[in-house]
């Protein structure tokens, strides 16, 4: 009996040791698993909010002079002198070319002499006609003499009128031998030299004068853009009221902005069939003549103000295999969600979101590689990003539309 009791105690103690070791190993394994579980990845988010943003459109255009005058001769003759410097400023009425005036001076003198002769004959004929008219009641002269004298008086008066008109025409032609500037501006190169024969109304101009202060900037704009803009205004997405709505800026060919603002003048009503666009013209002051006719520029026109715009940093937008843009959001339980969005345009280093986001949502702007849809993350708000998005500057050339 003692041996059996002792054996039972040993067995019980052995079983207790086994159970204790098993509990200890289980606790160690559980503690090791707890220590090996990684913490949720940390991502930086920004809060989506609406804000007013000025939307602009950047389009290519070309400059053109506001006034252009092609200098052509109005009489035929030989060029005696060129009286201007090519490329210089000229004033309206300034003599540019001198055509040989000799034949026109002779025609003027001949017309003046003929007019003097006609005027010299007129008093005698007029006196005779008055005298015959006074004697018509006494029958001292015949009615035929009275009629002939009246006819001669009318013919003499007509000759005076004719030669007066001929003298005026000769004076005008003589004045046309001095080819004058019709407008003030900058004159280009001369197409003729001294001694060249020119003809009245010839198709080739002698020179061209252009007035470039102010100067026009013509910008073609597609009808699709105009319709989109109209729908945005009618739908309330854009507000086109304000003093700066008609102001336009341009960027020069070398990428530098032109310092002076222009004003929209008009929009053409005819669509170019080859390009599907209409011409929008703006007027720019050009006191230093930096802008020259035919220069290529980029015009920046103000579309309006979007009072409920949503802007997000460009690095926060990714694209799926089909090319559709999407962002990663952190929901209320700190889980990652993938949301497809549509983008209107670029605003500097940010995207203007058209649809897909609502105010108050959290967009991941840093750490997207560590965040997977459905995973739990630790979201950290970025005050710098929020501040940058809350005070955006209107971007030049914000007409880049993302498809």
């Amino acid at each position: 009996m003692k041996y059996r009791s002792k054996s039972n105690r040993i067995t019980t103690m052995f079983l207790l040791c086994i159970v204790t070791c098993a509990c200890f190993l289980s606790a160690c394994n559980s503690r090791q698993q707890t220590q090996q579980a990684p913490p949720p990845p940390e991502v930086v988010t920004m809060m989506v909010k609406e804000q007013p943003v000025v939307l602009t459109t950047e389009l290519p255009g070309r400059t053109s002079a506001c006034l252009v005058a092609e200098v052509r001769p109005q009489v035929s003759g030989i060029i005696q002198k060129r009286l201007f410097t090519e490329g210089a400023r000229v004033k309206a009425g300034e003599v540019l070319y001198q055509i040989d005036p000799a034949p026109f001076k002779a025609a003027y003198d001949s017309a003046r002499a003929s007019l003097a002769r006609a005027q010299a004959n007129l008093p005698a004929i007029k006196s005779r006609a008055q005298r015959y008219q006074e004697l018509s009641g006494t029958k001292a002269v015949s009615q035929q003499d009275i009629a002939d004298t009246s006819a001669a008086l009318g013919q003499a008066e007509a000759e005076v009128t004719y030669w007066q008109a001929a003298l005026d025409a000769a004076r005008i032609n003589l004045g046309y031998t001095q080819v004058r500037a019709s407008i003030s501006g900058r004159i280009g190169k001369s197409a003729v030299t001294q001694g060249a024969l020119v003809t009245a109304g010839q198709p080739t101009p002698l020179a061209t004068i252009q007035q470039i202060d102010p100067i026009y900037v013509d910008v073609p704009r597609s009808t699709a853009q105009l319709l989109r803009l109209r729908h945005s205004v009618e739908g309330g997405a854009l507000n086109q009221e304000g003093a700066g709505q008609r102001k336009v800026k341009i960027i020069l060919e070398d990428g530098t902005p032109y310092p002076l603002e222009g004003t929209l003048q008009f929009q053409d009503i005819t669509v170019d069939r080859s390009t599907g666009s209409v011409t929008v013209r703006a007027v720019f002051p050009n006191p230093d003549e930096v802008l020259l006719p035919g220069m290529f520029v980029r015009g920046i026109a103000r579309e309006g103000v979007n009072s409920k715009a949503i802007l997000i940093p460009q690095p926060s937008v990714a694209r799926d295999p089909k090319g559709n843009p999407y962002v990663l959001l952190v929901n209320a339980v700190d889980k990652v969600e993938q949301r497809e969005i549509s983008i209107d345009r670029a605003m500097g280093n940010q995207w203007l979101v058209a649809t897909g986001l609502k105010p108050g949502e959290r967009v991941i702007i840093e750490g997207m590689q560590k965040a997977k849809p459905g995973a739990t993350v630790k979201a950290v708000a970025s005050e710098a990003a929020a501040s940058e998005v809350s005070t955006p500057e209107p971007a030049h050339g914000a007409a880049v539309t993302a498809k």
Side-chain angles (χ1 to χ4, degrees):
M1 292 295 293
K2 290 182 179 180
Y3 176 76
R4 188 175 298 176
S5 175
K6 185 177 180 180
S7 177
N8 289 338
R9 285 197 304 269
I10 294 173
T11 302
T12 302
M13 291 178 63
F14 180 72
L15 290 176
L16 287 175
C17 288
I18 293 176
V19 172
T20 303
C21 290
C23 292
F24 179 76
L25 292 176
S26 177
C28 290
N29 291 334
S30 177
R31 186 180 306 169
Q32 185 176 5
Q33 290 178 358
T34 302
Q35 291 177 351
Q36 291 179 352
E42 185 176 294
V43 295
V44 180
T45 63
M46 60 159 284
M47 187 72 68
V48 176
K49 59 181 179 180
E50 296 176 343
Q51 56 193 297
V53 172
V54 178
L55 301 184
T56 59
T57 300
E58 180 178 327
L59 297 169
R62 286 197 179 272
T63 58
S64 60
C66 62
L67 288 178
V68 179
E70 294 182 337
V71 180
R72 287 186 172 87
Q74 294 178 278
V75 293
S76 301
I78 301 295
I79 297 293
Q80 286 187 329
K81 296 179 182 179
R82 176 169 63 85
L83 303 172
F84 67 91
T85 302
E86 293 175 318
R89 292 178 179 273
V90 295
K91 295 182 178 180
E94 182 178 339
V95 179
L96 305 176
Y97 296 93
Q98 177 64 60
I99 298 176
D100 184 10
F104 303 98
K105 182 66 167 56
Y108 174 78
D109 292 340
S110 176
R112 185 173 59 178
S114 298
L115 175 62
R117 182 180 58 192
Q119 289 174 338
N121 294 331
L122 182 60
I125 298 174
K126 183 181 293 186
S127 177
R128 184 184 306 142
Q130 290 177 352
R131 188 166 57 252
Y132 278 17
Q133 191 67 30
E134 291 173 357
L135 295 174
S136 62
T138 62
K139 296 184 179 182
V141 293
S142 65
Q143 293 296 323
Q144 184 63 44
D145 291 339
I146 295 174
D148 292 342
T149 305
S150 298
L153 176 61
Q155 184 177 358
E157 291 176 342
E159 282 205 20
V160 171
T161 304
Y162 170 79
W163 287 113
Q164 181 63 55
L167 180 63
D168 293 340
R171 183 186 297 110
I172 292 173
N173 288 333
L174 181 59
Y176 283 159
T177 60
Q178 291 184 330
V179 182
R180 299 177 181 271
S182 57
I183 63 172
S184 299
R186 293 282 294 273
I187 191 167
K189 65 180 181 179
S190 176
V192 296
T193 60
Q194 182 177 339
L197 173 64
V198 295
T199 58
Q202 65 182 34
T204 304
L206 305 181
T208 302
I209 305 172
Q210 300 183 82
Q211 191 176 107
I212 58 176
D213 183 23
I215 195 169
Y216 293 146
V217 175
D218 295 330
V219 177
R221 195 168 192 181
S222 68
T223 53
Q225 289 179 329
L226 294 177
L227 291 175
R228 178 180 60 82
L229 179 60
R230 183 171 183 175
H231 294 158
S232 298
V233 174
E234 292 177 350
L238 280 181
N239 179 11
Q240 290 191 322
E241 298 179 358
Q245 185 60 38
R246 297 185 62 84
K247 295 298 181 181
V248 184
K249 296 182 178 180
I250 57 174
I251 300 176
L252 303 178
E253 290 177 311
D254 60 354
T256 59
Y258 186 65
L260 303 177
E261 284 188 339
T263 305
L264 285 175
Q265 188 180 49
F266 79 97
Q267 176 180 296
D268 201 356
I269 60 173
T270 303
V271 179
D272 189 336
R273 296 184 179 182
S274 60
T275 61
S277 61
V278 296
T279 299
V280 179
R281 170 166 288 180
V283 183
F284 280 81
N286 191 27
D288 298 328
E289 297 183 353
V290 175
L291 302 176
L292 301 177
M295 184 180 291
F296 174 80
V297 296
R298 287 181 290 160
I300 302 173
R302 175 171 170 168
E303 288 187 356
V305 178
N306 186 346
S307 58
K308 296 182 178 180
I310 294 178
L311 296 175
I312 59 175
Q314 291 185 0
S316 65
V317 179
R319 293 186 180 272
D320 60 19
K322 295 183 179 180
N324 299 318
Y326 70 88
V327 294
L328 297 179
L329 306 177
V330 179
N331 60 17
V333 293
D334 292 338
K335 288 187 177 294
V336 178
E337 295 182 1
Q338 181 173 319
R339 178 81 56 81
E340 185 175 333
I341 62 173
S342 61
I343 296 173
D344 187 324
R345 65 187 67 187
M347 301 287 291
N349 60 350
Q350 303 174 84
W351 288 119
L352 174 62
V353 179
T355 59
L357 292 178
K358 298 179 181 179
E361 294 180 322
R362 293 181 293 174
V363 177
I364 298 176
I365 61 175
E366 293 182 17
M368 295 179 62
Q369 298 82 0
K370 300 180 292 183
K372 302 298 180 182
T376 301
V377 295
K378 179 181 178 182
V380 178
S382 173
E383 297 181 359
S387 174
E388 180 182 357
V389 175
S390 63
T391 57
E393 294 183 359
H396 295 308
V400 180
T401 303
K403 296 181 181 180

